[in-house]
Amino acid sequence: MPKNSKVTQREHSSEHVTESVADLLALEEPVDYKQSVLNVAGEAGGKQKAAEEELDAEDRPAWNSKLQYILAQIGFSVGLGNIWRFPYLCQKNGGGAYLVPYLVLLIIIGIPLFFLELAVGQRIRRGSIGVWHYVCPRLGGIGFSSCIVCLFVGLYYNVIIGWSIFYFFKSFQYPLPWSECPVVRNGSMAVVEAECEKSSATTYFWYREALDISDSISESGGLNWKMTLCLLVAWSIVGMAVVKGIQSSGKVMYFSSLFPYVVLACFLVRGLLLRGAVDGILHMFTPKLDKMLDPQVWREAATQVFFALGLGFGGVIAFSSYNKQDNNCHFDAALVSFINFFTSVLATLVVFAVLGFKANIMNEKCVVENAEKILGYLNTNVLSRDLIPPHVNFSHLTTKDYMEMYNVIMTVKEDQFSALGLDPCLLEDELDKSVQGTGLAFIAFTEAMTHFPASPFWSVMFFLMLINLGLGSMIGTMAGITTPIIDTFKVPKEMFTVGCCVFAFFVGLLFVQRSGNYFVTMFDDYSATLPLTVIVILENIAVAWIYGTKKFMQELTEMLGFRPYRFYFYMWKFVSPLCMAVLTTASVIQLGVTPPGYSAWIKEEAAERYLYFPNWAMALLITLIAVAALPIPVVFVLRHFHLLSDGSNTLSVSYKKGRMMKDISNLEENDETRFILSKVPSEAPSPMPTHRSYLGPGSTSPLETSGNPNGRYGSGYLLASTPESEL
C-alpha cells in the first residue's frame, strides 16, 4: 500500500470523519464491496434498526409451506397454452415428431434458464427490477421490461378468462346453446340462420353470439357488453386473489392448481371410452419425421418452452423471492419443468382422444350426406345402379362400403366426377384439420362435447378448468408486476394492486370491442414474443458473462449446500445464449419475410380469411414492441454516462481516527482487504456471505444483520446506503 495512502495518514484522535468509499479507496487496490461481509448501516442508529427490521429475512412474506410454493409455480407455468397451444403445435408439426425438438430445447434452454431465475430470485430475495439491478446495474432495465411484458400479457390473458366465464355460465342449460343452429323467422317461414348454416353451430356461436365479431380490425363495432361484464368479473376475481400478495394468492393456488388435474383425469378416462379415441391418439403420436428438420418447427418449439415455463416474465423470480435461502431450487426447477411437460402431454392425449371421437362423428356425417347425394343421382338416372356394389346397404352404410362405392364411381365417371361434388370422407382428413389456439377450445372441443352424454356437466367442468388454469397464470403475471414495483418503490401493496386491476380493466376494453379478438391476436402472437426473447437472452448474459458463471455457481453452492451439475455451467455460458440468439434472429427474419396478420371472420362468407394488419395497426404493433424493450437501452445509457446513479458513488464510511488506526504501509497486498474489514489476516471473512439482503432505492440497511452497533467485525464503519440500492 502506498505510504501516502489515506489509511496510513490516519492519526490517533477522537475526531469523527465521513469519507466516500471512492475517496477512501482511491489509492488502494479496489475492493469489491459485494464480496465483503462488512456490516453496513445508515448514519443514524434509529434508521439502522428500522432498516434491519424491514429487511430481515424473516420479515419478508414467505410461503406457508413448500407445497404451496410448488403449486404456485405450477399454477403460473401450467396455463391455457398447455391445453390448446401445445396440442395444436403437435398436430401442426408432425405429431410425435414435435416432441423431439421440444424436449431437446426444454433440456438445453428451458430447465437451465428456469433454474437460473429460481436461483437469482431466491438468492437476492427481490422482484425482477431489484434482481437485475443487483446482478448488473447497467442492465437494470431488464426488470422494467419484464413488468411491461407482464402488463401486455395480462391485458389480453384476462380477456380469455372472461370468454371462459361467458361459456361457463352458458353451460348450465340443456341442450347446450351451441349444439344447434338458431332458427329465424322470415315472414311466415322459419329458416336456419344463413351464417350458421354455412359454417357450424359451434363456430356460429363463437363468432356471432359470444364475440359478435366484426369483419376486420379496422371495424371497431363498439363494445360487446356481454364480454365487458365478463371481463369485469375476471378482473374482480384476479384482484381478490392477489390483493394480499402471497398471503391470499397462496391459498387460492391449492384449488386453482390442483382442480385442472382432476378435470383432465376425468376427461382422459371419459375420452378413452369414446368411439374413435384411439384413432385420435394414434394420429397424434404417429411421427412425421421430415418435420424434425424444419427450422420453423424448432422456432415454434422454443417459443412454446419460453411461454410454458414463464421465462422472462418475472413471475418465477417473484415467487422464488419469497423462499428461504436454503430452499433446494435445483430440485424445484426439475420438478416444475417435468410437471409442466407431463401436463402438456396429458392435455394433448385428452384433446386428441376427444378430437378422434369428433372426427369419427364428422366422418359418419360426411358419409350420410354423400350417400344421400348418390341416392339422388341414382333416382334421377345420373348414375347407373350397376355402379353400386351388390352388398352395399344404404340403410346401414359403413365408411368402408362408402369408400368402395366412391372409388368405383370415381373410376367409371372420371371425366364427370368433379361435377358430382362427392367427398372422399377420409378420417385422416378430419384429424388433420388444424384448429389453432382459442378455436381449439371454443369451437372444436365444445363441438365434441355436444355429443357427450350429460354434455352440460362436461362443459361446466371444462370451462371451470380453463378459468382456474387462467387464474393461476394471472396470479403469477400480476406478481411479475406488483412484486418488483412494491419492492423497489415501497408503494402500498393493497392500493397498488387494486389500482393495477382497475387500470388493466379499462385498458382491456380494447379487447372486448367487436374487433377485440384481432387485438388479442396482435398481442399474443407478436407484441410479447420478441421482447420476451430479448429479455431471456439478456438475463442469461447478465448472469453468465457479466456477473460471472463461476461466481454464480459458487454462490449457489453456498446457498444450496451442494454444487449444481457442471451441465448448467456450460448451458448458461455457451449453449443457451447461442440457441436463443439463433431463435431471435429467426424470429426477426420471420417477421420480415411474412408480414404480420390475423384470421378475420367474414360474415357474408361465414368463413375465415387471412388479412394483413393495416398500416396503423403495424405502427401500433411496432410501438408495443419498442415500449416493451425500451427500458433496457434507456437504463443502460443513463448508467453508462452516469446520468442515473447505480449507487457506487454514494457509499460512505464513518470512522473515528483514534480507533484501531495504525500504519499499514508494510502490509502485503493480500492483507489490504482484511485491514479494511478490521480483521487480522487469520480472521479474514469468507468472500461469500452466507446471507445478504438486497435493498431497494432509498433504503438503508445492513448487508448482513448483526446486533453489534459497531459492526460485525468491530470496525465501527457505517455506510450511508448500499451501492446496489440506488436506481
Side-chain angles (χ1 to χ4, degrees):
M1 181 178 291
K3 293 185 177 297
N4 62 346
S5 165
K6 291 186 179 182
V7 176
T8 64
Q9 295 174 2
R10 296 171 186 149
E11 300 175 354
H12 292 274
S13 72
S14 59
E15 181 183 351
H16 233 345
V17 178
T18 299
E19 294 183 292
S20 71
V21 167
D23 291 337
L24 182 65
L25 302 180
L27 299 176
E28 325 300 341
E29 289 294 319
V31 178
D32 186 358
Y33 62 86
K34 290 185 180 179
Q35 292 289 345
S36 75
V37 289
L38 179 63
N39 189 14
V40 296
E43 295 177 357
K47 290 183 179 181
Q48 175 183 356
K49 182 177 179 181
E52 287 177 353
E53 293 175 353
E54 178 185 359
L55 290 181
D56 190 342
E58 295 182 358
D59 288 344
R60 183 172 177 81
W63 301 103
N64 291 336
S65 65
K66 180 65 174 282
L67 175 62
Q68 188 181 75
Y69 164 67
I70 293 296
L71 290 178
Q73 291 287 13
I74 291 172
F76 176 50
S77 65
V78 176
L80 298 173
N82 296 77
I83 302 299
W84 61 49
R85 182 171 172 80
F86 189 89
Y88 161 73
L89 291 175
C90 280
Q91 184 183 29
K92 174 188 174 185
N93 296 319
Y98 174 75
L99 297 179
V100 175
Y102 184 85
L103 271 175
V104 170
L105 293 172
L106 179 65
I107 292 172
I108 67 174
I109 295 180
I111 295 178
L113 296 182
F114 188 62
F115 178 33
L116 184 147
E117 290 199 358
L118 290 178
V120 295
Q122 180 174 309
R123 178 66 179 173
I124 303 171
R125 309 205 72 190
R126 283 297 178 268
S128 57
I129 294 177
V131 161
W132 300 116
H133 173 62
Y134 174 88
V135 171
C136 177
R138 291 185 180 181
L139 291 181
I142 294 175
F144 292 98
S145 289
S146 293
C147 291
I148 295 174
V149 170
C150 277
L151 175 63
F152 288 171
V153 172
L155 288 174
Y156 76 81
Y157 205 87
N158 224 23
V159 174
I160 301 175
I161 298 178
W163 295 342
S164 302
I165 291 172
F166 176 79
Y167 269 79
F168 172 75
F169 285 110
K170 286 290 185 178
S171 299
F172 289 95
Q173 51 187 298
Y174 184 82
L176 292 171
W178 51 82
S179 60
E180 296 177 353
C181 284
V183 177
V184 295
R185 286 283 176 183
N186 186 7
S188 59
M189 298 182 60
V191 295
V192 176
E193 174 65 47
E195 186 180 3
C196 184
E197 189 175 25
K198 292 178 183 178
S199 54
S200 69
T202 50
T203 304
Y204 173 82
F205 187 88
W206 167 241
Y207 283 117
R208 193 55 51 210
E209 295 293 333
L211 301 181
D212 193 19
I213 200 166
S214 60
D215 285 354
S216 73
I217 195 173
S218 300
E219 302 174 26
S220 168
L223 289 178
N224 180 338
W225 68 268
K226 293 178 288 188
M227 288 305 168
T228 302
L229 291 177
C230 291
L231 180 63
L232 178 61
V233 172
W235 275 113
S236 300
I237 294 173
V238 171
M240 288 186 290
V242 301
V243 68
K244 296 290 186 181
I246 63 171
Q247 285 86 354
S248 56
S249 62
K251 296 179 177 63
V252 174
M253 287 297 185
Y254 284 111
F255 181 78
S256 65
S257 297
L258 293 176
F259 178 74
Y261 289 96
V262 175
V263 178
L264 282 175
C266 293
F267 265 100
L268 180 61
V269 174
R270 185 68 187 93
L272 292 176
L273 297 176
L274 294 172
R275 177 171 48 89
V278 176
D279 295 328
I281 294 174
L282 289 177
H283 177 78
M284 179 264 170
F285 281 107
T286 302
K288 300 179 179 66
L289 299 180
D290 59 308
K291 289 285 188 177
M292 290 175 55
L293 303 177
D294 187 351
Q296 177 70 10
V297 173
W298 287 80
R299 188 182 72 85
E300 291 186 344
T303 303
Q304 177 62 17
V305 168
F306 285 170
F307 278 93
L309 293 176
L311 299 177
F313 286 96
V316 173
I317 293 175
F319 282 160
S320 184
S321 71
Y322 298 113
N323 268 332
K324 296 180 179 179
Q325 284 213 341
D326 60 353
N327 174 63
N328 189 351
C329 57
H330 178 267
F331 171 78
D332 299 343
L335 177 64
V336 174
S337 299
F338 170 77
I339 292 176
N340 187 289
F341 177 71
F342 167 76
T343 306
S344 297
V345 174
L346 176 62
T348 303
L349 285 173
V350 171
V351 167
F352 276 89
V354 174
L355 292 184
F357 166 70
K358 173 181 173 286
N360 275 268
I361 296 292
M362 300 306 295
N363 192 57
E364 290 175 359
K365 183 179 178 181
C366 176
V367 168
V368 170
E369 290 176 352
N370 282 271
E372 290 177 354
K373 288 183 182 180
I374 294 174
L375 278 174
Y377 293 143
L378 293 175
N379 293 334
T380 56
N381 295 324
V382 174
L383 293 177
S384 171
R385 293 188 180 271
D386 295 337
L387 298 177
I388 309 302
H391 64 275
V392 171
N393 183 355
F394 279 91
S395 300
H396 300 86
L397 190 63
T398 64
T399 303
K400 181 180 179 181
D401 290 340
Y402 172 77
M403 282 305 302
E404 184 179 353
M405 186 168 53
Y406 176 87
N407 290 329
V408 171
I409 296 173
M410 183 174 62
T411 302
V412 175
K413 296 286 187 179
E414 183 177 357
D415 296 335
Q416 301 142 358
F417 182 77
S418 59
L420 297 176
L422 298 178
D423 297 317
C425 297
L426 296 174
L427 183 63
E428 287 293 317
D429 292 342
E430 288 292 336
L431 291 171
D432 282 334
K433 289 181 179 178
S434 297
V435 184
Q436 183 176 7
T438 55
L440 181 61
F442 295 103
I443 298 178
F445 210 87
T446 53
E447 183 174 353
M449 286 189 296
T450 59
H451 302 287
F452 284 15
S455 55
F457 168 77
W458 293 104
S459 183
V460 167
M461 294 286 284
F462 177 71
F463 289 109
L464 185 58
M465 176 187 71
L466 292 188
I467 292 170
N468 280 276
L469 283 171
L471 179 61
S473 296
M474 275 302 300
I475 289 173
T477 301
M478 289 297 294
I481 300 173
T482 58
T483 297
I485 297 297
I486 292 171
D487 285 346
T488 304
F489 300 105
K490 309 302 178 187
V491 297
K493 183 195 306 180
E494 290 82 1
M495 185 180 300
F496 178 70
T497 302
V498 172
C500 281
C501 293
V502 173
F503 171 78
F505 167 73
F506 283 105
V507 177
L509 295 178
L510 173 71
F511 303 99
V512 291
Q513 304 176 93
R514 290 182 58 201
S515 60
N517 187 47
Y518 306 137
F519 287 97
V520 171
T521 300
M522 176 190 292
F523 275 67
D524 187 22
D525 292 349
Y526 301 104
S527 67
T529 304
L530 188 58
L532 194 65
T533 308
V534 174
I535 287 171
V536 176
I537 292 176
L538 292 178
E539 287 181 355
N540 199 156
I541 292 174
V543 172
W545 289 92
I546 299 178
Y547 193 79
T549 309
K550 292 182 179 178
K551 178 180 175 183
F552 186 58
M553 290 287 281
Q554 177 62 28
E555 291 192 10
L556 289 182
T557 302
E558 299 202 10
M559 183 174 72
L560 300 176
F562 63 89
R563 187 172 185 83
Y565 299 120
R566 292 288 291 181
F567 164 80
Y568 292 106
F569 178 90
Y570 295 110
M571 293 300 106
W572 290 333
K573 190 78 172 178
F574 305 110
V575 179
S576 295
L578 179 61
C579 291
M580 288 185 294
V582 172
L583 171 64
T584 304
T585 304
S587 299
V588 173
I589 294 174
Q590 180 71 18
L591 284 175
V593 173
T594 306
Y598 61 100
S599 293
W601 178 259
I602 310 301
K603 182 176 181 179
E604 289 73 17
E605 302 174 5
E608 290 183 341
R609 183 194 302 169
Y610 189 82
L611 301 177
Y612 295 118
F613 286 119
N615 292 336
W616 66 266
M618 283 296 300
L620 174 61
L621 175 59
I622 294 172
T623 301
L624 291 172
I625 295 175
V627 167
L630 191 60
I632 298 173
V634 168
V635 172
F636 181 88
V637 170
L638 290 178
R639 285 188 171 142
H640 180 76
F641 293 102
H642 307 292
L643 301 175
L644 181 66
S645 173
D646 62 2
S648 60
N649 294 324
T650 62
L651 188 64
S652 62
V653 175
S654 296
Y655 60 91
K656 287 186 178 181
K657 286 186 177 181
R659 185 173 184 175
M660 297 179 65
M661 295 296 108
K662 58 182 179 179
D663 189 335
I664 57 169
S665 58
N666 61 341
L667 284 179
E668 295 180 2
E669 181 179 350
N670 292 338
D671 292 334
E672 183 174 330
T673 301
R674 299 185 179 99
F675 173 79
I676 293 175
L677 296 178
S678 294
K679 298 289 287 184
V680 296
S682 62
E683 298 175 306
S686 167
M688 265 310 305
T690 56
H691 172 71
R692 178 179 61 205
S693 298
Y694 165 75
L695 300 181
S699 299
T700 57
S701 178
L703 287 177
E704 184 151 1
T705 58
S706 173
N708 187 349
N710 289 327
R712 181 175 181 178
Y713 298 103
S715 66
Y717 293 171
L718 299 176
L719 302 187
S721 61
T722 58
E724 64 264 35
S725 69
E726 298 294 333
L727 277 176

